[in-house]
Amino acid sequence: MAGMMAKRLGKELAKLQRETPKGITIVSADDFKEWTMDIQVLGNPMYDPEEKYRIKITYPNAYPIEPPEVVFTQLSDPVRKIPMHPHIYSNGIICLDLLDKQGWSPVQNVESICLSLQSMLDSNTKMENNGVDMSVLTPASKKALANLRAFLPPPTNYYRCPLKRRAAVLILLFADKRGDLRVVLTIRSFGLKNYAGQAALPGGKADTLAETPFQTARREAFEEIGLPEKDEDLPPGYTVEHLTELPTNLAMTELGVRPCVAFLNTPPPSEKNKNPDAARDILPKLDAREVAAVFTANFRNFLFEKDLDERDREEFGDGEWYKGSWHSWHESAWRMHQFFVPVRRGEVFLAKRPESYTAARAPEEKKKAQQTSASSSPSSSSQNKDPATSRDSRSTLQPPLPRKFYTTTTNPLEQQSRYRVFGMTARILVDAARVAYGQEPEYEHNSHFGDEDMIAKLMSIGRLSAIKKDGEVLTREVMREAGKVKI
């Protein structure tokens, strides 16, 4: 199939280079994955005939059987704006039957796409865009979500783990203004006992044996970042869809960690919310005792060695995005991934708290907090409550904190332009992106998903038991012993 695509695109490129239609310019066509073109509108006085509009064309392996993904892109150098048109969203996504699978035909080609877009702009009579509709996904994002929905996780050892060894994390995806998928990440509080100050996915330990991994992940996400556990408590129009779960990972703290993937559906613009924005409407509600910051990252970028986000490259330059190395873990070679995610002011949410909260809470404090929370009576008007102000925060970890603990303030994290994502969190994101986009990373990586086999081996030698002894850690000797077990 890839050979057919290359042969077809080679012919199309040769034809365009011999005779390019007026008002269309080839900017780059260095490979058969992505081309960029400039389009000028020559027959409509509402547009400046000298102004050029940049389109990015991304080809699937099944091209020309399947249509390419085509979007307008905005640049600052050279200046390229998103053209004004009722069928073009301000994030560059194009509503055109020709570009949908239903309207596409293999007889179409790059030239006919460019001419169709040029004709669409030539005939325009309204200088307006369709708004920023974050409910509109790019074809690549739609396919990624479909792949995640279709993923059937293999049998898991998670339910064999005792309650104290069960944990889950939430891989929460949402669409940005360009229709690309982003994932929500946190910086753990600097006062926590384990992994303080490190990037992590929202999540934590299970409360009961009856609690499913997704229920655990949703509850912990509410406690950490304020994401309501029920859709009816979300802002109007928003919903959370449970897509799938990934194989269980083994944490250094001897926890079986189950990654749960979910998609935050953003509603289309309406009279009440003309510009829905998931990052603004949902995310900035932090538990200052557990989370120091919340930020987001381009989900697909976790498959690549370089930062592919054009906006990030313009603002941050070609800084280091990925660094990896091999280590010994599980008595086998284990790839340590490190990603350096660009963050912007206004797109990272920081928690504020006094010095008295810098230390991790003692068990008796947690127990008291749970009792306080359990005694709170539910309110009938709980929709969209802020855990900072609500007396019924539904948190099982702590009573509500005053509003001042949730305001943005001076923080060492403000001085950083990139946050490091590494360890198990990075590995989980890589595995999730592999499933979503159906491709392997550009860099070296472990081929297997999760640590189901090692969890089973450790349990067979008495580890991951219901009672953890003081000083009990996964030493090299323990891992070597488990590695010898046949299962």
Side-chain angles (χ1 to χ4, degrees):
M1 189 71 76
M4 179 178 69
M5 176 188 70
K7 185 176 180 180
R8 168 66 177 265
L9 287 175
K11 290 182 178 179
E12 291 189 31
L13 180 59
K15 183 176 183 297
L16 283 170
Q17 289 173 334
R18 287 196 308 269
E19 186 178 355
T20 306
K22 190 175 182 180
I24 296 173
T25 306
I26 301 171
V27 179
S28 67
D30 300 329
D31 55 40
F32 296 141
K33 293 181 179 179
E34 182 180 293
W35 291 1
T36 53
M37 316 275 285
D38 278 344
I39 294 178
Q40 293 169 270
V41 186
L42 305 176
N44 190 333
M46 291 194 302
Y47 298 93
D48 181 351
E50 298 299 320
E51 187 167 9
K52 296 180 179 180
Y53 302 101
R54 179 69 52 87
I55 62 170
K56 181 173 69 173
I57 307 172
T58 305
Y59 300 100
N61 289 333
Y63 181 84
I65 304 301
E66 294 182 3
E69 176 186 331
V70 184
V71 295
F72 282 98
T73 61
Q74 185 167 313
L75 301 174
S76 58
D77 185 21
V79 175
R80 295 290 183 267
K81 299 177 181 179
I82 304 297
M84 300 293 286
H85 192 283
H87 291 170
I88 300 174
Y89 288 92
S90 53
N91 56 5
I93 292 177
I94 305 163
C95 293
L96 185 64
D97 289 341
L98 173 67
L99 301 177
D100 290 333
K101 285 189 176 181
Q102 293 80 4
W104 174 258
S105 168
V107 301
Q108 302 290 349
N109 53 42
V110 176
E111 181 178 346
S112 66
I113 291 172
C114 292
L115 291 174
S116 295
L117 292 175
Q118 195 178 50
S119 174
M120 184 177 80
L121 294 169
D122 274 336
S123 60
N124 182 32
T125 59
K126 292 183 178 181
M127 292 299 283
E128 62 181 33
N129 282 116
N130 221 343
V132 178
D133 188 352
M134 294 179 69
S135 66
V136 177
L137 295 162
T138 64
S141 296
K142 289 180 180 179
K143 188 172 182 180
L145 294 177
N147 287 341
L148 288 166
R149 290 187 187 100
F151 178 73
L152 183 63
T156 180
N157 289 299
Y158 178 86
Y159 295 102
R160 294 180 56 207
C161 295
L163 176 60
K164 290 186 177 181
R165 304 293 185 174
R166 294 185 185 184
V169 293
L170 184 66
I171 305 173
L172 183 64
L173 306 175
F174 68 95
D176 66 12
K177 295 181 179 181
R178 294 165 294 182
D180 294 326
L181 294 178
R182 296 189 72 83
V183 60
V184 178
L185 291 156
T186 71
I187 298 293
R188 290 171 59 83
S189 170
F190 294 98
L192 292 175
K193 182 178 179 181
N194 296 316
Y195 309 114
Q198 294 185 12
L201 293 160
K205 294 182 180 179
D207 263 2
T208 68
L209 289 172
E211 192 175 56
T212 67
F214 185 60
Q215 289 170 337
T216 298
R218 284 295 299 268
R219 174 179 52 76
E220 288 288 336
F222 170 74
E223 293 166 0
E224 293 180 5
I225 64 174
L227 178 73
E229 296 179 68
K230 299 178 181 179
D231 283 355
E232 54 263 35
D233 294 328
L234 290 165
Y238 284 93
T239 59
V240 174
E241 178 188 358
H242 182 195
L243 298 174
T244 191
E245 294 176 10
L246 301 180
T248 306
N249 285 254
L250 175 65
M252 290 286 289
T253 50
E254 288 194 66
L255 289 175
V257 181
R258 186 76 163 170
C260 302
V261 190
F263 177 60
L264 177 62
N265 289 283
T266 304
S270 64
E271 285 300 318
K272 291 185 177 180
N273 192 349
K274 294 184 178 180
N275 185 20
D277 185 333
R280 179 200 65 217
D281 297 341
I282 302 289
L283 301 182
K285 300 173 183 177
L286 314 187
D287 178 345
R289 285 171 166 163
E290 298 202 16
V291 175
V294 172
F295 64 106
T296 69
N298 185 297
F299 182 45
R300 190 175 188 178
N301 221 139
F302 287 101
L303 293 172
F304 299 95
E305 288 185 296
K306 294 184 178 180
D307 193 348
L308 300 184
D309 193 305
E310 293 179 1
R311 191 173 64 132
D312 288 344
R313 290 203 306 270
E314 284 187 20
E315 183 171 342
F316 298 96
D318 293 325
E320 186 173 44
W321 159 258
Y322 174 78
K323 184 165 63 175
S325 57
W326 287 100
H327 296 264
S328 178
W329 167 238
H330 300 178
E331 282 303 296
S332 61
W334 192 81
R335 184 71 173 180
M336 169 68 81
H337 304 296
Q338 296 186 76
F339 298 95
F340 300 90
V341 178
V343 292
R344 297 177 179 80
R345 282 181 175 272
E347 294 185 12
V348 56
F349 305 101
L350 305 173
K352 176 184 178 181
R353 61 184 180 177
E355 292 299 320
S356 59
Y357 287 134
T358 56
R361 286 171 293 163
E364 58 270 17
E365 184 185 353
K366 284 190 177 183
K367 184 176 181 181
K368 183 179 179 181
Q370 290 173 340
Q371 292 171 345
T372 303
S373 177
S375 64
S376 301
S377 58
S379 170
S380 59
S381 59
S382 62
Q383 188 172 9
N384 304 335
K385 284 193 175 180
D386 186 335
T389 57
S390 170
R391 296 192 61 82
D392 171 31
S393 72
R394 295 171 293 166
S395 171
T396 60
L397 290 184
Q398 64 172 63
L401 296 177
R403 160 67 70 180
K404 64 182 180 180
F405 295 151
Y406 292 83
T407 56
T408 302
T409 183
T410 302
N411 187 304
L413 293 171
E414 284 186 318
Q415 311 306 317
Q416 300 178 27
S417 60
R418 291 179 182 265
Y419 291 169
R420 184 171 71 128
V421 178
F422 69 105
M424 185 176 69
T425 297
R427 183 188 176 197
I428 288 173
L429 289 170
V430 170
D431 285 349
R434 290 167 64 193
V435 172
Y437 294 100
Q439 65 184 90
E440 295 301 306
E442 288 184 337
Y443 43 79
E444 294 181 330
H445 65 286
N446 293 97
S447 59
H448 64 280
F449 291 81
D451 303 307
E452 296 284 2
D453 286 350
M454 182 51 69
I455 290 173
K457 291 179 179 181
L458 285 167
M459 294 180 75
S460 72
I461 63 170
R463 304 295 297 212
L464 275 72
S465 61
I467 300 175
K468 185 174 182 179
K469 301 175 183 177
D470 290 340
E472 190 177 51
V473 294
L474 289 176
T475 63
R476 187 179 296 274
E477 289 71 26
V478 171
M479 300 303 293
R480 185 178 294 117
E481 180 185 355
K484 296 177 182 178
V485 175
K486 303 291 184 181
I487 58 172

